[in-house]
Amino acid sequence: MSTPEAEAALVARIETSFGKQSFMTTLGARLVRIASGEVEIELPISDHLAQQHGFVHAGAVSSIADSAAGYAALSLMPEGAGILTVEFKINLLAPAAGETLLARGRVVKAGRTLTLATADVFAVKGGVPKLCAVLSATC
């Protein structure tokens, strides 16, 4: 069972690390939820993220999914540990179109040296989320 102090320390650790990711800042992504084994990242959709058909580019979708899965994995690691993705696979299920994207990362299995995590990415339009991508990552 986690204490409020431990939860606050976890949130601060993830927020500090996320703040160092200048690419997430460039995209316009932000953390919206942090819990043990789970992280959510939101990305407002804007023209600078579009590919040639007007949908959000797969690179932006992949980036927030990778970060959500990676930070979910980091949330279960001890203080002072670092995280790197060593492999990921993403399935793009539907065009990423709407007002925002929401990547929900969660740990499937935390190991001693490698952790398996996933992220579901939803395109949200009019408050209605539509699954547009699923990522599986080894961190």
Side-chain angles (χ1 to χ4, degrees):
M1 186 160 163
S2 184
T3 66
E5 294 81 16
E7 289 178 25
L10 170 64
V11 168
R13 182 164 55 111
I14 301 296
E15 286 177 341
T16 298
S17 178
F18 188 83
K20 295 176 182 176
Q21 284 200 19
S22 57
F23 188 60
M24 289 293 111
T25 301
T26 298
L27 290 176
R30 67 182 187 94
L31 290 166
V32 292
R33 184 173 168 273
I34 301 165
S36 182
E38 299 177 355
V39 168
E40 293 183 5
I41 296 174
E42 184 178 72
L43 178 64
I45 295 176
S46 63
D47 291 341
H48 79 281
L49 301 173
Q51 43 84 296
Q52 71 276 16
H53 300 292
F55 305 120
V56 176
H57 193 282
V61 175
S62 299
S63 293
I64 64 167
D66 175 45
S67 284
Y71 279 117
L74 181 63
S75 75
L76 296 180
M77 296 178 147
E79 181 74 32
I83 189 81
L84 289 173
T85 301
V86 296
E87 174 186 41
F88 75 70
K89 177 191 185 308
I90 190 162
N91 291 94
L92 303 166
L93 308 172
E99 290 103 33
T100 62
L101 294 182
L102 178 66
R104 291 183 178 148
R106 72 173 182 83
V107 171
V108 174
K109 182 175 186 317
R112 201 169 25 88
T113 56
L114 295 174
T115 294
L116 177 64
T118 63
D120 293 331
V121 181
F122 299 88
V124 182
K125 185 174 183 177
V128 178
K130 178 179 179 181
L131 185 64
C132 66
V134 176
L135 173 136
S136 175
T138 305
C139 304

